[in-house]
Amino acid sequence: SGQFVYDLLPLDESRLLVSWEGGVDLLEVETNTPDPDAAPRLLNVTPTGGGQALDVALSPDGALAALALGDDGAVLLSLADPRNPQVLGYASTPGDGLRAALDGETLYLADGVCGLRVFDLADPTAPQEVGYWSGDYASDVTVGAGPDGERLLYLADANRLLTLRYDPAAPPLSPPVPQSPDPADGAGEVPLNLTLSWSPPPDPCNPLIYDVYLGVATEPAFIGQVGDTPELEVSDLQPARTYYWRVEVTDRQGDRVRGPVWRFTTVSASFVDTLPPAPPPFLRRIQEAPLPIGGLAFLLIAALGGGLYWRRRRRRARQADSEWYGPDDGETTGPPDG
């Protein structure tokens, strides 16, 4: 049905599942026919709605099939009616689903650079990731059993062939505990609008969900949830207050860890200056005046010189008036003749 065939899987002696770039075909191969060159007969076409169906895996009882879809993860098919496969659900992965293996109610998916992913299929319509293994480049996986009946996985990882033991009862691997907060624990003079951040940095193969708690109480309240990037912007904090904050982390498997409580203190309030601006200094007023500085200086010097001249003239006039009176008898004497 497509342009490129990726995988073939025999269901029984006369039927084949054939994966291509847009789905899977069910073919019937006639073994007891007088024409040895008879072409397989197409019984059913099941579109997967995803990308390239790179690999087909079958459960031991033949009731379930899994198709690896590259960057779309994997799709599960019900083979309860072998002549009419039905899509049940999808398993999302952070990498590229390259090969699949089924063992009872468990799906194993070789996910390229993101290693091996393990899904629980108790509800095949909603597969739940329950474990993972990080390697170099997981390109293929198959299921086997050890001498004591333990479940073994054989994984092609880059240039190595690995044997892994999967124990569903093993304790879960907790996500990383948040650390290295910014602002630092106990920091002061923190602005009222800021970005809270923490480490470790995001891992594309193990994306996390962060629940952030912030408040003035020692047990802060929930304020928001972020994914992928470990940071959250906050604003309109109160001045001169001590805030407490922490982060809780949840991984793809649903495991959760609570980080420590950190604290910081915001800056003091800054009030707007309501006083009018100070008047310009004297020199600036002179520069802003329409009269040039040189002209103003000339006027000041002329006024000073005129004042001195007027004062000297008045003093001479007083001395001349005093000569009209005699010094002894007070009689008036006229001015000299001529």
Side-chain angles (χ1 to χ4, degrees):
S1 298
Q3 297 181 357
F4 196 88
V5 172
Y6 287 98
D7 197 15
L8 299 172
L9 180 68
L11 290 180
D12 51 36
E13 293 181 354
S14 61
R15 286 173 297 184
L16 290 174
L17 284 178
V18 182
S19 68
W20 45 282
E21 66 269 14
V24 60
D25 290 351
L26 178 62
L27 303 180
E28 185 176 47
V29 181
E30 293 291 346
T31 55
N32 299 320
T33 176
D35 183 5
D37 297 326
R41 185 162 60 96
L42 180 63
L43 301 178
N44 183 277
V45 178
T46 304
T48 59
Q52 302 169 344
L54 301 177
D55 181 55
V56 184
L58 194 64
S59 62
D61 60 2
L64 195 66
L67 278 71
L69 299 179
D71 56 5
D72 289 322
V75 62
L76 296 170
L77 301 178
S78 171
L79 300 178
D81 179 4
R83 297 181 64 88
N84 187 26
Q86 297 292 321
V87 174
L88 291 176
Y90 290 86
S92 175
T93 66
D96 295 319
L98 302 178
R99 294 290 185 273
L102 287 168
D103 179 16
E105 294 185 344
T106 307
L107 167 65
Y108 307 95
L109 201 59
D111 205 36
V113 295
C114 290
L116 176 69
R117 299 284 157 170
V118 183
F119 293 85
D120 177 52
L121 302 182
D123 180 5
T125 63
Q128 297 294 320
E129 185 172 323
V130 293
Y132 68 94
W133 182 87
S134 297
D136 294 328
Y137 189 84
S139 57
D140 202 355
V141 60
T142 189
V143 182
D148 299 329
E150 61 183 349
R151 190 181 312 176
L152 298 179
L153 302 175
Y154 300 101
L155 182 70
D157 182 58
N159 63 344
R160 303 177 298 173
L161 177 62
L162 304 178
T163 302
L164 306 177
R165 182 173 63 87
Y166 174 60
D167 182 6
L173 179 64
S174 298
V177 178
Q179 55 185 325
S180 302
D182 185 17
D185 188 23
E189 298 298 313
V190 175
L192 305 183
N193 301 320
L194 73 154
T195 299
L196 302 174
S197 63
W198 54 94
S199 66
D203 181 357
C205 285
N206 291 290
L208 304 172
I209 296 176
Y210 305 97
D211 291 331
V212 184
Y213 298 78
L214 173 70
V216 295
T218 55
E219 186 57 40
F222 173 78
I223 63 167
Q225 185 180 89
V226 293
D228 298 333
T229 303
E231 63 181 29
L232 177 66
E233 294 184 2
V234 295
S235 59
D236 300 327
L237 300 180
Q238 296 296 319
R241 299 293 298 271
T242 296
Y243 282 86
Y244 299 86
W245 66 294
R246 63 181 179 87
V247 180
E248 290 188 8
V249 187
T250 305
D251 61 14
R252 288 176 51 87
Q253 294 77 44
D255 301 317
R256 192 176 181 90
V257 65
R258 171 175 170 157
V261 176
W262 301 307
R263 63 182 177 87
F264 63 84
T265 303
T266 55
V267 296
S268 301
S270 56
F271 299 98
V272 178
D273 189 3
T274 58
L275 297 177
F282 178 72
L283 291 179
R284 185 175 178 183
R285 281 193 170 185
I286 293 177
Q287 294 174 356
E288 294 176 352
L291 189 63
I293 295 179
L296 181 61
F298 174 79
L299 291 178
L300 290 176
I301 294 174
L304 181 60
L308 294 177
Y309 171 77
W310 175 257
R311 187 175 180 183
R312 289 186 60 185
R313 183 176 180 181
R314 191 173 182 182
R315 183 180 302 172
R316 289 181 179 177
R318 288 179 179 177
Q319 291 177 357
D321 291 343
S322 63
E323 296 178 355
W324 291 80
Y325 303 95
D328 296 330
D329 53 8
E331 296 180 355
T332 304
T333 59
D337 296 334

